[in-house]
Amino acid sequence: MVNAAAPRAIEVSGLTKVYGDHPALRGIDLRIDTGESVVIFGPNGAGKTTLIKALATIARPTSGRILIDGLDLKDRAEDVRRRIGVVSHFTYLYGNLTGYENLDFYARVYDIPRRGERIREVAALVEMTSRLHDRVASLSRGMQQRLSIARAVLHSPSIMLLDEPETGLDQRAIQIVWSAIRGEANGRRTLVLTTHDLERGSALCDRLVILNRGRIAYEGATCDLDADRLRQVYESSTAVRA
Amino acid sequence: MEQRDRSRYALLGLTAALFVAALYMVFMWVPTEQQMGIVQRIFYFHVPVDWVAFLAFFIVFLGSIFYLWRRDSRWDTLAQASGEIGIVFTTLMLLTGSIWAKPIWGVWWTWDARLTTALVLWLIYVAYLLVRAYASDKQQGARFAAVVGIVGFFDVPIVALAITLWRTQHPGPVIFEGGLAPSMLATLLVSLAAFTCLYVVLLRERMAQRATETDLAKLKESID
Amino acid sequence: MSFWRKALAVTWKDALTELRTREVVFTVLVFALLVIVIFNFAFGTTQEAVALVGPGILWVTFAFSGVLSLNRAFVAEKDGGCLEGLLAAPISREAIYVGKMLGSLLFLVVIEAISLPIFAFLLNLPVASGPLLVTTLLATIGFVAVGTLFSALSVNTRAREMVLPILFLPVVAPVIISAVKASGLALSGGSWGDVGGWLEIIGAFDVVFVVVSYLIFNYVVEE
């Protein structure tokens, strides 16, 4: 082995994704180290969700390469899926089943040993223990999203992909969500987050990337930019004739 | 003239020549069949059209498989073009079968094994072309169409089997059975060749059209 | 084997959902009863009428019930975005297909198990015949094998409910034709030998289409 160092968490080279005639991603190169947290900004249609989907193995790239923990998505997809947890504004929960039944289903799919114990653990993590046996459809949006986070951390993923996770949540729910996400990982959890909220995003993450029309328009550390400067950079990166 | 143009005109010429020969043979040369009379001459159009309808679907099948495997949209263009031509020929097959049935059997339609299979094939062609309209974008449409193309191809022989078994238990008017005199065989073969060449010509033209459409779309996209 | 464990987890989830809501089974049963009543008024219940039309009625009912039930197979997956969640999970697309297919198979078998006695009762059909039951089971397998594939396809399109009848029924035609024929023979006292030819065709369809759908499913669900 030439390179003895541990593989990078995420390595994207030349990623393109075309839907019909519309290129959603036009060549993305991105490197994210283990334990880093990166926020992706960009206007609607910039390709943020497509990028998350490609990383989550939900959408197959038109061209380019994605390595997660050194594993190529093309041939080691199933191994990659064990290491990633996905959160989006979709809850990925079945409305007619209870929280417990949902988590039990996913626990089987993710091959989690001692299911019952783990389910109770994550339920406690998101403070949903008392409502665990209620139908998901009967829960408020905030509670559903909390359960969704529980589902996402069930298998203790080392990488989490969060596509606008705070949509429609109140302060309390947001607090719980983030403590669950950061909670068990001892700082080794890699995060990729998309959000429209510039301040919030840069407060939560180490690095930021601005996507515009399928390309990376800006990349840098969040500590380098204060709120005003960030807004300026965002405006100029996403101007119409960028 | 460019190489492509040259081959295009050559093929066109060959097709025209074959059709002239076929028409001569069908209407002037081959003797009238004893039992069915003049109407029987439709056979020389019905069978080749039949053959092209199935050939076209086979090409749809191949194009679909290669498209899903290689993800090269040219395979999809081939499959779609073949699908469009195929449905026209299937329609012709149903029509010629009908035109044949009426004077001979007195009915416009007969649940003859081949015709019924053609009807189902026609419906599958419709499904193949329609699913593209139902999809949310062109690429998804191409992918779904490929799925229909592959499933449909495996389906047609089974449909034919089922209907043939049905016919052996419920015999009825049949479109064609029986041997061929040498002159009839010769006429049939020439007609077959003519229609096959026509298929190839139409396929190439349609694919060229599609390619131009795609280029135009790409240009438009790059201007935006 | 983890493949089967995960596939069955999907089936179990679908079964649980159906037990909870009882949507599919009830809707379809009401539909079946409706069909019987309408056909009764259209054709009468004389022995000849029933012998002639009975098998057709049976399979029209099953086919349309099947379409109704298949239509719902992937709707729940779309609603919470769950299909995406499954695609991002370490479960192979093929296991998802098998799980879904077995779920639909289970529903349809339950529906048929309830409908057949009703038919027997209202139309005086001798449904307790081995050939009939085997025909029904085999035909349902083929129906569900292709139906699951098309159901996944339909849920991703704009014209959802129209897709199955228009795209799928022509493809599944040979199974229905054979099933009607075989059922007719079985109901008029036919033996295994009589229905043999038809069962072969249904069997061939089943084998071919379970394999083909299994292999192609991936291309329908992945973006």
Side-chain angles (χ1 to χ4, degrees), chain A residues 19 60 81 92 94 101 111, chain C residues 20 77 80 84 93 223:
Chain A
Y19 286 107
R60 188 208 287 233
R81 289 172 192 142
Y92 298 155
Y94 296 94
E101 285 161 348
D111 286 319
Chain C
R20 198 58 61 73
E77 307 289 343
E84 269 188 23
R93 277 65 166 138
E223 279 183 34

Side-chain angles (χ1 to χ4, degrees), chain B residues 80-141:
Chain B
Q80 185 172 13
S82 191
E84 292 170 349
I85 300 171
I87 196 174
V88 171
F89 275 88
T90 312
T91 314
L92 282 176
M93 179 183 173
L94 296 172
L95 286 176
T96 54
S98 202
I99 295 175
W100 194 344
K102 183 69 173 138
I104 305 290
W105 299 108
V107 288
W108 281 113
W109 180 258
T110 163
W111 293 98
D112 167 83
R114 218 164 47 220
L115 272 188
T116 312
T117 309
L119 187 59
V120 176
L121 179 64
W122 191 86
L123 288 170
I124 295 179
Y125 263 124
V126 167
Y128 176 75
L129 296 171
L130 207 55
V131 79
R132 291 171 194 270
Y134 286 152
S136 47
D137 67 68
K138 257 189 65 188
Q139 200 187 58
Q140 191 192 52

Side-chain angles (χ1 to χ4, degrees), chain C residues 14-200:
Chain C
D14 282 356
L16 201 55
T17 309
E18 181 51 31
L19 278 172
R20 198 58 61 73
T21 61
R22 287 180 280 275
E23 255 173 11
V24 176
V25 176
F26 271 177
T27 313
V28 168
L29 276 180
V30 168
F31 179 79
L33 271 172
L34 215 64
V35 170
I36 297 180
V37 170
I38 294 178
F39 273 89
N40 174 35
F41 284 114
F43 297 106
T45 42
T46 61
Q47 279 289 68
E48 299 81 49
V50 169
L52 208 57
V53 194
I57 299 176
L58 204 63
W59 283 99
V60 163
T61 309
F62 289 160
F64 279 100
S65 309
V67 167
L68 280 175
S69 141
L70 284 169
N71 257 329
R72 314 230 42 149
F74 277 91
V75 166
E77 307 289 343
K78 256 311 186 179
D79 278 342
C82 297
L83 188 57
E84 269 188 23
L86 278 181
L87 291 179
I91 174 176
S92 71
R93 277 65 166 138
E94 288 79 21
I96 300 176
Y97 169 74
V98 171
K100 279 292 183 194
M101 188 200 121
L102 290 177
S104 293
L105 182 61
L106 192 62
F107 295 162
L108 277 183
V109 165
V110 165
I111 289 168
E112 287 160 358
I114 303 180
S115 305
L116 281 174
I118 295 180
F119 274 109
F121 180 64
L122 290 179
L123 294 178
N124 259 315
L125 290 175
V127 301
S129 97
L132 180 67
L133 295 175
V134 170
T135 303
T136 307
L137 182 63
L138 284 181
T140 309
I141 292 176
F143 192 90
V144 160
V146 185
T148 303
L149 181 70
F150 277 89
S151 173
L153 198 153
S154 79
V155 103
N156 280 312
T157 63
R158 294 179 306 211
R160 281 195 202 174
E161 277 76 37
M162 290 203 286
V163 169
L164 275 185
I166 297 181
L167 301 191
F168 162 66
L169 286 181
V171 172
V172 91
V175 169
I176 302 185
I177 295 173
S178 307
V180 169
K181 241 355 239 176
S183 305
L185 290 170
L187 286 172
S188 44
S191 65
W192 289 101
D194 299 325
V195 300
W198 297 105
L199 286 180
E200 273 172 19

Side-chain angles (χ1 to χ4, degrees), chain B residues 175-193:
Chain B
I175 283 297
F176 183 75
E177 259 176 347
L180 286 173
S183 60
M184 296 168 82
L185 183 60
T187 313
L188 182 64
L189 288 175
V190 170
S191 190
L192 212 60

